[in-house]
Amino acid sequence: MDYLDNATTKVMAVVIIQSIMKNTTCISTSDKIEALFDLIKGLIKDMDGAQDDELDEEDFKEEQNSVARLIHMLHNDDPEEMLKILCTVQKHILQGGPKRLTFTVPSLVFSSLKLVRRLQGQDGDVTGEDVPATPKKIFQILHQTIEALSCVPSPELALRLYLQCAEAANDCDLEPVAYEFFTQAFILYEEEITDSKAQITAIHLIIGTLQRMNIFGVENRDTLTHKTTGYSAKLLKKPDQCRAVYACSHLFWTDDQDGIMDGERVLLCLKRALRIANAAQQMASATRGSSGSVTLFIEILNKYLYFFEKGIPQITNTVIQDLIELIRTEKQSDNSVADPSTEAFFSSTLRYIEFQKQKGGTIGEKYEQIKTSS
């Protein structure tokens, strides 16, 4: 291999990887991986004298995807040896330069998280030279690995990976680690993610991950939920603000046994979403002459119904009735042509209420007071 030119070295490296994949060869020690990565170094890092303009974008992607797949083939049942493997892989891929990291880092992160899941429940407070493989130690490696993406830069990918790690730390009962990963995700959101579409995706990922976290104490959870609701209300477009704010209502009511159940704050989120939807209507009215779609109100009504069924005392049938009437009024005052999808959405929601009434029992009784016919 050492005598081949750069192009042929790459071709041979791809052939080696394809052979490993085809025969599902298990490479199970860090020494073997050192040797393997030495053979395929043409794909792992820039070779001396290689010209950037020689790169074909499609070929490059294909080569890096094959390296990413290879990382998933490296396995050892012994956690100690598996940790050595991950450290070896990390050492090699971090030398690959910014172009390659977006392909190879996610594979390494998910391979590491697989090991974390295997070790769940083992505490890593053992000190000394010979520290065994523990979740804490692997999370340190993960932190360094994801941090390397900042030189790409690829903030959206890094944010997703930080949230994945936070969830794994949650399952391992490591609150400080989970909090640190969330902090990193928030820093990326504040400083790096500027595109409004990327912000919408990011905020919904943050809300979804935070909602599943059950490890945080009151203070840490309050800090994170406060930040999240604040970001949601600062999105650029009013409809996006509204959707993110009503999604935040789920942060205050979870179905777990020891889950958080704060009906007051759920209601606050939903009321805030209604105010934003109202502002969106007024803006549409001022700029386009029509009051705009009532879709946001119907979406919020569906959230109210969800929490109504969960038994939140603050959400009563009177509140739901008022919202149904508000949607009807808004529809009548809108002088533009009715949107068929909005009409269908509203009809389906009302049909659902009728369907729940017919169920009888406690559910039927709850819904009995709500009138759906105008």
Side-chain angles (χ1 to χ4, degrees), residues 326-341:
L326 171 72
I327 294 169
R328 288 218 166 92
T329 313
E330 287 290 339
K331 277 170 63 185
Q332 281 161 8
S333 65
D334 183 10
N335 46 24
S336 60
V337 182
D339 174 18
S341 61

Side-chain angles (χ1 to χ4, degrees), residues 6 10 46-56 99-100:
N6 286 337
K10 279 187 177 180
D46 292 328
M47 301 300 285
D48 299 334
Q51 296 298 310
D52 258 2
D53 50 7
E54 290 172 17
L55 279 179
D56 177 291
K99 288 199 305 288
R100 293 179 174 81

Side-chain angles (χ1 to χ4, degrees), residues 16-29 33 36-37 65-76 82 85-86 89 107-108 111 114:
I16 291 169
I17 293 176
Q18 282 171 347
S19 168
I20 290 169
M21 308 294 275
K22 191 175 164 190
N23 301 312
T24 57
T25 312
C26 185
I27 299 153
S28 54
T29 68
I33 285 155
L36 171 66
F37 275 46
N65 281 329
S66 61
V67 174
R69 285 199 292 273
L70 174 69
I71 293 171
H72 287 296
M73 301 288 291
L74 313 173
H75 178 77
N76 193 309
M82 190 62 206
I85 289 172
L86 294 172
V89 174
S107 286
L108 177 58
S111 279
K114 218 184 281 180

Side-chain angles (χ1 to χ4, degrees), residues 71-283:
I71 293 171
H72 287 296
M73 301 288 291
L74 313 173
H75 178 77
N76 193 309
D77 286 330
D78 173 32
E80 299 298 313
E81 192 56 46
M82 190 62 206
L83 183 59
K84 281 184 195 164
I85 289 172
L86 294 172
C87 291
T88 306
V89 174
Q90 184 202 30
K91 180 183 76 180
H92 283 284
I93 69 168
L94 292 189
Q95 294 167 358
K99 288 199 305 288
R100 293 179 174 81
L101 290 177
T102 49
F103 296 94
T104 49
V105 164
S107 286
L108 177 58
V109 168
F110 283 104
S111 279
S112 306
L113 288 177
K114 218 184 281 180
L115 179 57
V116 167
R117 302 280 185 202
R118 269 166 54 195
L119 295 171
Q120 229 159 285
Q122 293 184 19
D123 272 330
D125 292 328
V126 191
T127 48
E129 281 301 295
D130 214 20
V131 182
T134 60
K136 268 186 188 168
K137 194 168 182 188
I138 301 160
F139 282 128
Q140 286 165 5
I141 295 168
L142 283 165
H143 203 291
Q144 295 161 6
T145 310
I146 302 171
E147 223 169 17
L149 285 171
S150 61
C151 69
V152 177
S154 182
E156 288 101 328
L157 175 60
L159 180 125
R160 283 169 186 269
L161 295 175
Y162 278 134
L163 293 176
Q164 287 282 352
C165 293
E167 212 173 325
N170 175 69
D171 296 343
C172 292
D173 282 337
L174 296 170
E175 182 181 3
V177 179
Y179 190 81
E180 176 56 28
F181 280 123
F182 253 101
T183 307
Q184 293 303 321
F186 279 134
I187 290 169
L188 282 176
Y189 182 86
E190 279 182 5
E191 296 176 4
E192 304 286 338
I193 299 177
T194 49
D195 177 67
S196 58
K197 277 190 179 152
Q199 283 184 337
I200 296 162
T201 308
I203 202 71
H204 283 284
L205 285 168
I206 289 170
I207 294 167
T209 310
L210 188 52
Q211 197 258 341
R212 289 196 294 276
M213 308 293 275
N214 51 21
I215 192 179
F216 291 131
V218 176
E219 200 176 313
N220 280 348
R221 191 175 178 91
D222 271 358
T223 307
L224 294 173
T225 47
H226 183 71
K227 273 276 186 207
T228 310
T229 45
Y231 292 143
S232 300
K234 288 193 179 86
L235 290 169
L236 179 64
K237 294 177 184 169
K238 290 280 181 212
D240 297 330
Q241 279 181 25
C242 175
R243 290 185 174 106
V245 167
Y246 73 55
C248 285
S249 61
H250 290 284
L251 297 177
F252 304 109
W253 195 276
T254 49
D255 287 337
D256 308 337
Q257 228 172 352
D258 318 316
I260 184 169
M261 290 182 172
D262 188 342
E264 281 295 329
R265 289 176 79 177
V266 169
L267 191 60
L268 273 176
C269 273
L270 295 177
K271 280 183 172 174
R272 192 176 185 185
L274 267 177
R275 281 201 302 276
I276 297 169
N278 214 14
Q281 289 282 72
Q282 285 167 1
M283 278 174 72

Side-chain angles (χ1 to χ4, degrees), residues 1-9 12:
M1 292 286 278
D2 285 342
Y3 291 103
L4 301 175
D5 62 22
N6 286 337
T8 322
T9 308
M12 288 311 295

